[in-house]
Amino acid sequence: MKVLVGVKRVLDPQVKARVKADGSAVDLTNAKMSMNPFDENAVEEAIRLKEAGQVEEIVTLSIGPEKAQETLRQSLAMGADRAIHVVTEQVLEPLAVAKVFQHLVAQEQPGLVLVGKQAIDDDCNQTGQMLAALLGWAQSTFTSKLKLEGETATTLREIDGGLDRISVRMPAVVTVDLRLNEPRYATLPNVMKAKKKPLQKIVLDELGLDVAPRLVTLEVMEPEARSAGVLVDSVEQLVDKLRNEARVI
Ligand code: AMP
């Protein structure tokens, strides 16, 4: 079985986002970029399935600017076999991303698609769900455990107040949560080997898909500044402050 894994290039999670002066978007000029953290879990899971003999080939897919190649190379250094880069300077909404995935699913015929539960830049949490709908496939979202048996995937899903265990028919779309696994670091020899692994480039416009935006961003704002915390000397003082200053108890 082949697995297709989504890897998005996003602002590094350790970097503080700065908003452009005109409030139109987050300023990414010279910012450190990384693979979306949930996508690292997705790549790691695909590698573990391959190591367990349940998967023959791992193909990673990134849709984005030239530099998204670095993210794909990272996935190859972790252990993916092959990468596909759909090149575009446009920022795509989840529906458009799902359509690109749908196109490549038709071409690659994977038995499983793994994507992150959400991209930490747009926080949409929509791509996997939209892709499953477009394909008419089963889906497991917020997945923190994945077990494949024949035509079935059994998963644990993190839901409010507990865990949900479900079984879905393959082929399926699985969106993954951080607790699924601990992603491996790429070793230097594997980084070198990754440079020679196949990376196919496709120009988005040549796919002829309708990727026009459906939403208009009205404004992007910095979060409100938080006032500094205070250190208290005793539990009594803490309770007093909570009761009389914050008035929360
Ligand atoms: P979202 O619906 O935007 O929160 O994204 C959910 C997941 O879809 C991400 O964690 C990625 O696995 C995948 N995804 C979204 N956008 C892209 C992209 N441009 N390239 C590759 N994968 C993507």
Side-chain angles (χ1 to χ4, degrees), residues 12 19 77 97 107 130 142 223 225:
D12 186 277
V19 175
V97 173
Q107 206 168 293
M130 287 180 171
F142 311 107

Side-chain angles (χ1 to χ4, degrees), residues 5-9 36 38-39 42 61-64 92 94 97 101 114-129:
V5 188
V7 292
K8 186 176 188 187
R9 184 172 183 266
N36 185 45
F38 298 103
D39 301 353
L61 167 62
S62 195
I63 304 142
L92 298 189
V97 173
F101 268 83
L114 291 174
V115 290
K117 76 165 179 184
Q118 76 191 56
I120 60 161
D121 52 359
D122 59 21
D123 272 348
C124 278
N125 175 5
Q126 294 171 7
T127 305
Q129 293 89 327

Side-chain angles (χ1 to χ4, degrees), residues 3 5 40-55 58 74-81 114 181 183-184:
V3 183
V5 188
E40 292 185 356
N41 298 93
V43 175
E44 175 65 35
E45 196 63 16
I47 298 168
R48 291 186 189 194
L49 289 171
K50 190 175 173 198
E51 287 170 346
Q54 294 188 296
V55 159
I58 303 166
Q74 185 192 336
S75 71
L76 295 171
M78 284 173 76
D81 298 295
L114 291 174
N181 55 40
R184 69 195 64 192

Side-chain angles (χ1 to χ4, degrees), residues 136-196:
W137 285 12
Q139 63 179 307
S140 168
T141 50
F142 311 107
T143 306
S144 58
K145 209 169 235 175
L146 171 65
K147 201 164 142 206
L148 304 185
E149 264 164 338
E151 301 289 287
T152 313
T154 308
T155 69
L156 265 190
R157 304 180 53 247
E158 305 227 337
I159 55 169
D160 275 354
L163 292 169
D164 188 18
R165 200 160 75 88
I166 63 165
S167 136
V168 292
R169 279 271 298 278
M170 308 270 280
V173 176
V174 171
T175 84
V176 311
D177 217 327
L178 286 181
R179 266 178 287 272
L180 181 64
N181 55 40
E182 184 74 37
R184 69 195 64 192
Y185 288 104
T187 60
L188 192 57
N190 286 344
V191 171
M192 301 313 284
K193 270 190 226 155
K195 293 188 179 169
K196 298 211 177 85

